[in-house]
Amino acid sequence: MKSVKQHSQMSRLIVGSLALILFFSINLVAQEGNPVNGEKLFKSTCAACHKLEGKLLGPALKGITEIREQKWLISWIKDSPGMIKSGDKLAIQVFEENNKLPMIANPQLSDQDIIDILAYTKGEPAPVKEVSSVQENDVANGEKLFKSTCAACHKLEGKLLGPALKGITEKREKDWLISWIKDSPALIKSGDKLANEVFKENFMLPMPPNAHLSDKDITDILAYTSGEKAAAAGDVVSQEVDPAVKNGEQIFKTNCAACHKLEGKLIGPELYKIGDKRDPEWLKAWILDNNALVASGDKLAKEVADSTPLVMTPFPHLSDQDLDDLLKYLAVGDVKEVVALTATSKDEEIFNEPGFGVLPTLALTILAFILLSLIIAATTNKKVEEGEEATGSMLKSIIFNPFVRFLLIIFLLLGGTWFLFGWLMQIDVNEGYQPIQPIAFSHAVHAGDNKIDCQYCHSSAKNSKTSGIPSVNVCMNCHKTISEYKGELFDGHSKENLDKEIQKIYDAVGWDKNEMKYIEDYEQKPVEWVRVHNLADFVYYNHSQHVTVAGLDCKTCHGPVETMHEMKQFSPLTMSWCIDCHRTTQVDLTQNGYYKNIHDQLANKYGVEKVTAAQMGGLECAKCHY
């Protein structure tokens, strides 16, 4: 007989208590917040309206978890308007207590993100992290902060409420941008000329201050707007640039590049390895104040000054360290970081995966027709003569079956019509057209790498029907001093080939790159560019109406030109393509009082908040055909 050990009441109580404690401990670990991440999220998401202590737009949030339940707070932070609409009594009470100021929903925050924020509002001290002496730009953090702080009013490319921010660091100084982003109203009140100029350029729309952002946060945002990329797994930097050489390169570009090139004569002589020809200390004294060096009686200085009628600008603002860095750069020249990228098979699949197009669909349709014919023939096949066991052939049944013949005729008519219509619709549709041009001009180099604005070359797009082809004189604004190609090679071209392409510009206008002047009595030869975009003669299109009035970006019609080496037609430019654009493009008529009245009337007529180009008459035939 087996003995059964029975648990006493005390042992069962102990086991149950341990299980309950284990359950709560697991739950607490899962719900534990990270105050470090919470502080970061609080500053980027909540600090515009709340402070930990003291009222701002909303109430102080320190100790909020002692007043409200965590589950309710998570729902409130994620979607407060939805909770108010649902009739939640506490949500309505909080809404009324705060003067019915609407709180922005934050669906982008996960439950764990909100738990981290709540942990920060408890006032728990965050663990101190060791900070390295050299802080690198965190582009990933910059992207996150941009989306949470700036994206409501700005885009990287294209105007929103404020201007596009891509490349803003090339137009404004970093220190000024940090002050502007932190507290633009104070900068305007201080009388800063640039701040007031930017304020007026943006229709005096106030930019909210972002005092919660640290200098490092703003530096990360600026790194993101400059187009820097976060380091990806598999990226290996095989060569690093000496910071001194990098600083020297910047000093050269800022102070010397207007008159000198590393290799080749410009206004002054080439400076590559100039330290091998002159003593470094003499070079420093010459750069700081060449006039003083000549006046001191220095023979070499007087000899150099007499060799050219042009007087060199002194640079007394450069420090000894700046001069050392400059000479280091002149000694080694351009040194670039070489990055080896590891491509993944997943990236290749995105571009190589075939689609399911028209031809497979047509093949399946034909297969279905054959299958249907066989089924009909099999079910309607009869004996040739009464009493015979043999049946007629399947092929004979298909040929002489009237229903199958009827299906075949319909199929041939529909298929023929489809092929004919498709062939006719391709007439004068030149999507993808990419002619060979007389000069290997790369939009990817000029608009992409060098970020030259489209309207610098196509200047008539903003005030004329056509965008215009730039004259070679426009090219010469830059290429007077750029006689050779130093960028990355493309399309199988060698450096020698691309230098010859630049020479074609000089041959057209008669420019002597060695003497740096135009050749007298030279017979200029215009460059015969091949037209890419060509609308039908019966179509009227006005660039200024779309670029200046509608504010369309060039990419809307011409595609990502900054990635194209040889220009091609990106869009079909068909009538249906234009009509679809007019039907979906909303028109902003609220910036002018007169047009706002028209906008309100049209909005009431169509029952919409914003009218489209089609609702303003964009589908009227006479707009484009007359």
Side-chain angles (χ1 to χ4, degrees):
M1 182 176 179
K2 294 181 179 179
S3 63
V4 179
K5 184 179 180 181
Q6 295 188 3
H7 296 286
S8 66
Q9 185 175 2
M10 180 60 71
S11 65
R12 288 197 298 270
L13 181 61
I14 292 172
V15 172
S17 301
L18 289 173
L20 190 63
I21 291 170
L22 179 63
F23 172 78
F24 276 108
S25 64
I26 292 172
N27 188 55
L28 285 172
V29 169
Q31 297 295 315
E32 185 178 356
N34 180 1
V36 177
N37 185 47
E39 181 180 10
K40 197 173 184 180
L41 291 169
F42 180 90
K43 289 179 178 179
S44 63
T45 309
C46 315
C49 301
H50 297 274
K51 293 194 292 186
L52 279 184
E53 296 182 278
K55 183 174 171 59
L56 196 56
L57 292 177
L61 294 184
K62 189 171 184 179
I64 192 69
T65 52
E66 300 172 7
I67 306 171
R68 310 285 185 227
E69 292 182 358
Q70 186 183 86
K71 186 177 179 181
W72 185 89
L73 285 169
I74 292 173
S75 301
W76 173 259
I77 294 172
K78 274 195 171 182
D79 190 6
S80 58
M83 290 187 70
I84 295 168
K85 288 181 181 178
S86 69
D88 185 278
K89 291 182 179 179
L90 182 55
I92 296 171
Q93 178 186 336
V94 171
F95 181 60
E96 292 175 348
E97 286 176 356
N98 289 282
N99 302 312
K100 295 186 177 181
L101 286 173
M103 174 173 156
I104 299 171
N106 297 280
Q108 77 279 6
L109 296 176
S110 65
D111 289 0
Q112 188 58 50
D113 287 337
I114 298 174
I115 292 169
D116 292 346
I117 293 174
L118 296 178
Y120 171 67
T121 61
K122 291 177 183 178
E124 298 175 1
V128 179
K129 294 184 178 179
E130 294 184 1
V131 181
S132 61
S133 59
V134 180
Q135 291 186 340
E136 296 182 355
N137 294 337
D138 187 347
V139 182
N141 180 48
E143 181 178 8
K144 189 173 183 179
L145 290 171
F146 180 91
K147 290 179 178 177
S148 62
T149 308
C150 315
C153 301
H154 297 274
K155 292 194 292 184
L156 277 184
E157 297 180 280
K159 184 173 170 57
L160 197 57
L161 292 177
L165 294 185
K166 188 170 183 180
I168 191 66
T169 51
E170 299 173 7
K171 304 174 184 175
R172 310 285 186 229
E173 292 183 359
K174 180 180 173 182
D175 291 339
W176 185 88
L177 285 169
I178 292 174
S179 302
W180 173 261
I181 294 172
K182 274 195 171 181
D183 195 352
S184 59
L187 201 60
I188 294 168
K189 288 180 181 178
S190 70
D192 184 276
K193 291 183 179 180
L194 181 56
N196 281 279
E197 180 184 330
V198 172
F199 183 56
K200 291 175 182 177
E201 285 176 356
N202 290 284
F203 307 104
M204 296 191 175
L205 288 173
M207 174 175 158
N210 296 281
H212 60 283
L213 294 177
S214 66
D215 288 2
K216 180 66 170 62
D217 289 336
I218 298 174
T219 302
D220 292 344
I221 293 173
L222 295 177
Y224 172 65
T225 62
S226 66
E228 293 182 19
K229 295 183 179 178
D235 290 2
V236 181
V237 179
S238 60
Q239 182 179 359
E240 294 183 357
V241 179
D242 184 351
V245 174
K246 206 165 188 178
N247 182 45
E249 180 182 8
Q250 186 60 43
I251 293 170
F252 177 84
K253 290 180 178 178
T254 305
N255 301 280
C256 315
C259 299
H260 297 274
K261 292 198 292 185
L262 274 180
E263 296 181 88
K265 187 179 186 321
L266 194 57
I267 295 173
E270 67 176 46
L271 296 182
Y272 184 54
K273 294 189 180 297
I274 190 68
D276 297 343
K277 305 173 185 176
R278 306 284 186 234
D279 181 71
E281 294 303 321
W282 183 90
L283 285 170
K284 290 181 183 180
W286 174 263
I287 295 169
L288 281 174
D289 193 349
N290 61 92
N291 295 322
L293 196 62
V294 171
S296 69
D298 185 276
K299 292 182 179 180
L300 180 57
K302 191 172 186 308
E303 180 185 331
V304 173
D306 291 341
S307 66
T308 174
L310 299 174
V311 179
M312 176 174 156
T313 306
F315 298 96
H317 62 281
L318 295 178
S319 65
D320 286 344
Q321 186 61 51
D322 290 337
L323 293 170
D324 287 336
D325 294 347
L326 176 60
L327 294 178
K328 281 185 181 180
Y329 170 67
L330 297 179
V332 300
D334 291 320
V335 180
K336 295 184 179 179
E337 291 181 351
V338 181
V339 180
L341 299 177
T342 305
T344 63
S345 58
K346 186 175 180 181
D347 295 331
E348 294 177 359
E349 286 176 5
I350 296 174
F351 297 99
N352 297 330
E353 184 178 358
F356 194 77
V358 176
L359 292 179
T361 304
L362 185 61
L364 287 176
T365 305
I366 295 173
L367 185 62
F369 172 76
I370 295 173
L371 184 61
L372 180 62
S373 301
L374 292 173
I375 292 172
I376 293 172
T379 54
T380 58
N381 193 15
K382 297 181 179 179
K383 295 181 180 179
V384 178
E385 293 182 7
E386 188 178 351
E388 291 183 357
E389 294 182 1
T391 60
S393 68
M394 186 73 70
L395 180 60
K396 187 176 179 181
S397 298
I398 292 175
I399 294 173
F400 289 101
N401 188 290
F403 182 70
V404 173
R405 281 183 287 176
F406 173 75
L407 280 180
L408 180 62
I409 292 171
I410 294 298
F411 178 79
L412 290 175
L413 286 174
L414 292 176
T417 304
W418 183 81
F419 277 110
L420 178 63
F421 183 77
W423 180 77
L424 291 174
M425 287 298 293
Q426 292 176 0
I427 296 176
D428 207 32
V429 177
N430 300 313
E431 185 177 359
Y433 174 57
Q434 190 177 40
I436 298 174
Q437 300 291 354
I439 297 178
F441 178 90
S442 170
H443 278 81
V445 171
H446 291 78
D449 297 342
N450 296 321
K451 295 180 173 56
I452 298 175
D453 188 83
C454 300
Q455 294 186 34
Y456 178 78
C457 300
H458 304 283
S459 56
S460 60
K462 59 189 174 186
N463 50 31
S464 176
K465 177 184 174 182
T466 60
S467 62
I469 300 297
S471 65
V472 185
N473 289 332
V474 175
C475 306
M476 289 300 295
N477 288 339
C478 298
H479 281 284
K480 279 183 180 179
T481 57
I482 303 174
S483 60
E484 57 181 326
Y485 182 75
K486 292 187 176 181
E488 295 182 4
L489 302 178
F490 59 90
D491 287 353
H493 293 292
S494 65
K495 182 183 182 303
E496 292 73 19
N497 290 340
L498 294 174
D499 289 346
K500 290 177 181 178
E501 296 299 314
I502 297 176
Q503 182 62 42
K504 291 180 181 179
I505 303 174
Y506 298 157
D507 294 340
V509 295
W511 174 260
D512 188 335
K513 65 180 181 181
N514 296 318
E515 296 295 327
M516 298 290 293
K517 64 180 183 180
Y518 288 101
I519 301 171
E520 294 184 7
D521 300 325
Y522 184 84
E523 185 178 351
Q524 296 187 350
K525 296 164 282 188
V527 179
E528 297 182 2
W529 299 103
V530 180
R531 185 168 186 167
V532 178
H533 304 87
N534 190 18
L535 294 178
D537 293 340
F538 51 80
V539 177
Y540 174 80
Y541 178 84
N542 191 311
H543 270 84
S544 63
Q545 187 175 359
H546 291 77
V547 174
T548 303
V549 179
L552 288 184
D553 191 357
C554 302
K555 293 181 183 179
T556 306
C557 302
H558 297 293
V561 176
E562 73 280 3
T563 64
M564 301 179 190
H565 288 297
E566 288 189 15
M567 186 63 188
K568 66 178 180 181
Q569 182 174 320
F570 177 79
S571 303
L573 304 183
T574 58
M575 179 175 173
S576 61
W577 179 78
C578 295
I579 287 175
D580 288 341
C581 182
H582 283 191
R583 284 173 173 162
T584 56
T585 302
Q586 294 180 333
V587 182
D588 185 9
L589 300 178
T590 60
Q591 299 297 324
N592 182 291
Y594 172 77
Y595 287 113
K596 186 178 184 303
N597 183 38
I598 297 176
H599 176 273
D600 293 341
Q601 292 177 7
L602 290 171
N604 291 331
K605 177 180 178 181
Y606 294 108
V608 294
E609 292 185 7
K610 286 189 176 181
V611 297
T612 63
Q615 291 167 338
M616 285 193 62
L619 299 186
E620 295 176 7
C621 302
K623 295 285 186 182
C624 304
H625 307 288
Y626 61 88

